Amino acid sequence: ADADTTISADTDDQIDFKLGGTDFMSLTTTGATITSSSAGDLLTLKSTDAGAEAGPNLVLFRDSASPANNDVIGRMRFEGDDNEGNKTVYAQFTSQIIDKGSSGGEDSSFQLEVFNNGAIRDIMSVVGTTGGTPEVVFNEASQDVDFRVESNGHTDALFVDAGQDEVFFFASDTPDGSNRGGAMFQASTNERAVLHCSNTGTAENSLIVFNNGNGTVGTIKTNSSATSFNTSSDYRLKENVNYTWDA
């Protein structure tokens, strides 16, 4: 064997592997460390199975004797040095038990977290809620984190401005830059409708309903051949009203 390639136990409770005289891996009672001075793949799990089943598999198994709700059962971290050489977690995946339940009744969550402004922040969560509907949540921590979806030809097909509490469609700001809250629709070209409302049926149906604290105060309805604009008082829709009648 090559004398520069060794397996040794020079210290208690640690086994060192050297390849070509260079430390490659160490095993201790707390874990294993693989070290390389080169970029590239450090760990490869390879399966030569020719069947249709999944493989190779990487399993993170939290084999607890007393599992409990909210246990963090696994985490994958992406770490590096900052400008001062401090070890920093720049991003991580985390899985957590939401409800340990019984067989068939368990719920869990999975989070994508990134380092932002000096802290690790939950950017996206996939949650199997207890007794409810599973959901995908962006910005669960209520930070000033925007959400943007690009289409093939527009950078802001959908834009949620977290700091302004506004939602934009094919825009990222109001034309005058003011913050009005709510949602704004903007056509990407002159040939497109700003808002297109449609119904596959021909029976009378409300396409838009207006509500306030008193309930419904107006609707826009369509039927097979016409559109009607309705309010709680049709007086507002009348034109050429004469106010000179005798009392």
Side-chain angles (χ1 to χ4, degrees):
D2 189 337
D4 291 334
T5 299
T6 61
I7 300 175
S8 61
D10 297 331
T11 61
D12 292 340
D13 301 322
Q14 179 171 324
I15 300 176
D16 296 313
F17 296 78
K18 289 188 177 183
L19 299 176
T22 302
D23 290 333
F24 174 71
M25 183 172 69
S26 64
L27 299 178
T28 68
T29 56
T30 58
T33 301
I34 299 175
T35 304
S36 174
S37 59
S38 302
D41 301 335
L42 292 185
L43 177 64
T44 300
L45 306 180
K46 183 177 181 179
S47 171
T48 59
D49 180 73
E53 296 298 321
N57 297 328
L58 177 62
V59 178
L60 307 180
F61 180 28
R62 175 74 172 271
D63 191 10
S64 172
S66 56
N69 294 348
N70 300 316
D71 279 356
V72 176
I73 57 173
R75 178 170 286 151
M76 180 182 294
R77 296 198 304 264
F78 299 84
E79 299 180 346
D81 292 333
D82 65 10
N83 195 48
E84 286 77 33
N86 301 308
K87 185 178 179 181
T88 303
V89 179
Y90 282 98
Q92 63 186 23
F93 297 126
T94 301
S95 182
Q96 188 174 19
I97 296 174
I98 299 300
D99 181 9
K100 64 178 182 177
S102 56
S103 181
E106 305 89 344
D107 295 293
S108 64
S109 68
F110 181 79
Q111 297 95 35
L112 166 62
E113 301 159 281
V114 300
F115 206 75
N116 175 250
N117 290 332
I120 195 80
R121 303 187 188 279
D122 181 355
I123 300 299
M124 183 184 77
S125 300
V126 182
V127 184
T129 54
T130 303
T133 302
E135 59 183 4
V136 178
V137 182
F138 293 87
N139 195 23
E140 176 71 23
S142 298
Q143 302 292 320
D144 189 358
V145 178
D146 297 337
F147 177 73
R148 183 171 61 85
V149 177
E150 290 196 21
S151 66
N152 186 51
H154 204 288
T155 58
D156 299 300
L158 170 62
F159 182 76
V160 179
D161 190 323
Q164 301 295 334
D165 293 326
E166 290 189 278
V167 179
F168 298 91
F169 297 86
F170 290 97
S172 59
D173 202 353
T174 55
D176 60 1
S178 61
N179 173 28
R180 296 186 176 90
M184 192 195 87
F185 298 82
Q186 178 173 292
S188 59
T189 67
N190 291 331
E191 291 79 21
R192 292 188 178 183
V194 174
L195 178 63
H196 187 107
C197 299
S198 62
N199 181 18
T200 57
T202 58
E204 184 175 84
N205 184 60
S206 295
L207 287 185
I208 299 178
V209 178
F210 301 93
N211 288 282
N212 62 20
N214 293 324
T216 300
V217 295
T219 61
I220 298 177
K221 293 184 177 182
T222 61
N223 57 31
S224 60
S225 60
T227 299
S228 61
F229 301 86
N230 314 285
T231 72
S232 57
S233 171
D234 63 358
Y235 183 81
R236 282 173 284 181
L237 296 179
K238 292 182 171 66
E239 296 181 356
N240 302 318
V241 177
N242 188 341
Y243 296 94
T244 60
W245 62 83
D246 292 333

